[in-house]
């Protein structure tokens, strides 16, 4: 069965500092991996995805994520955090065969302080 | 994002009421989804429609009844709900239900059961 773990309920970072939101996954085959962001009173917004190829994926709003197959991780990163990045971030995985549904993690709240 | 529109945004209903949630997507997508989002829990996939055909029912109680009259519209009919059904209900769409397609979400309907 597929699963996603986001080990941190909350990440605190000062504005201007780099940020990392962690995600590890488990699938039986090869994964498709996604990051979504949710702002208050809004739905989830797609940030980026890893399908194949380059392990470093660039997405919206300056975010990027690095796929590490040996560590089964897909951590979300940004070189310089903004206060407006404060939101709830979800990692999701689906196996490439597509027979299983998209599985989401429990979310990590990012709080960027001025 | 206005690509996926959900109405109403908020709904309060008694356990004996019947109501419907509506979702409309303007993205030309062929797959649509209903999710339930509860605090401190991962998103729960409820139903999937691909080209108007239901392809997944994730063991959802019969008090939730989906309807997909065309690829642009999705409804969730509610009747005799329980207090534990109070949650944020999110609609999403994607080009189709292939594993590599990102999903685009509406802003949700906040449902409260009295």
């Amino acid at each position: 069965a597929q699963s996603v773990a986001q080990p941190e309920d909350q990440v605190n970072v000062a504005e201007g500092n780099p940020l990392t939101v962690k995600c590890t996954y488990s699938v039986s085959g090869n994964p498709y991996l996604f990051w979504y962001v949710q702002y208050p009173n809004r739905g989830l917004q797609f940030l980026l995805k890893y399908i194949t190829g380059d392990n470093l994926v660039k997405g919206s709003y300056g975010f990027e994520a690095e796929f590490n197959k040996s560590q089964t991780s897909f951590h979300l990163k940004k070189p310089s955090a903004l206060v407006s990045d404060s939101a709830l971030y979800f990692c999701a995985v689906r196996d490439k065969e597509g027979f299983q549904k998209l599985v989401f993690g429990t979310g990590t709240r990012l709080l960027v302080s001025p | 994002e206005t690509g996926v529109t959900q109405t109403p945004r908020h709904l309060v209903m008694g356990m004996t009421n019947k109501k419907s949630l509506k979702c409309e997507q303007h993205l030309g997508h062929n797959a649509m989804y209903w999710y339930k989002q509860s605090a401190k829990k991962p998103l729960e996939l409820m139903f999937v429609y691909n080209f108007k055909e239901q392809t997944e029912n994730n063991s959802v109680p019969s008090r939730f009844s989906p309807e997909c009259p065309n690829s642009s519209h999705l409804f969730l009919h509610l009747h005799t709900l329980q207090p534990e059904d109070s949650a944020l209900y999110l609609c999403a769409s994607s080009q189709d239900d292939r594993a590599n397609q990102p999903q685009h979400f509406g802003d949700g309907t906040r449902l409260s059961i009295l």
Side-chain angles (χ1 to χ4, degrees), chain B residues 18-80:
Chain B
K18 291 184 179 181
K19 296 287 184 182
S20 296
L21 309 184
K22 179 182 177 182
C23 176
E24 183 175 2
Q25 58 95 2
H26 306 278
L27 301 170
H29 290 168
N30 296 300
M32 296 188 78
Y33 312 78
W34 279 116
Y35 286 89
K36 177 183 180 182
Q37 185 178 27
S38 304
K40 306 294 184 184
K41 294 176 67 175
L43 263 70
E44 301 174 49
L45 179 66
M46 300 175 71
F47 301 103
V48 181
Y49 279 82
N50 194 41
F51 292 91
K52 301 189 298 178
E53 296 297 320
Q54 184 175 309
T55 57
E56 179 143 2
N57 177 336
N58 196 27
S59 302
V60 180
S62 60
R63 58 185 184 268
F64 296 92
S65 176
E67 179 188 3
C68 187
N70 54 61
S71 293
S72 299
H73 293 86
L74 185 65
F75 295 90
L76 188 62
H77 304 299
L78 316 172
H79 65 96
T80 324

Side-chain angles (χ1 to χ4, degrees), chain B residues 65-104:
Chain B
S65 176
E67 179 188 3
C68 187
N70 54 61
S71 293
S72 299
H73 293 86
L74 185 65
F75 295 90
L76 188 62
H77 304 299
L78 316 172
H79 65 96
T80 324
L81 294 193
Q82 304 300 309
E84 61 266 27
D85 297 324
S86 297
L88 181 67
Y89 288 84
L90 292 167
C91 173
S93 70
S94 62
Q95 187 61 48
D96 50 52
D97 69 350
R98 286 179 295 171
N100 64 348
Q101 297 296 317
Q103 296 176 17
H104 299 260

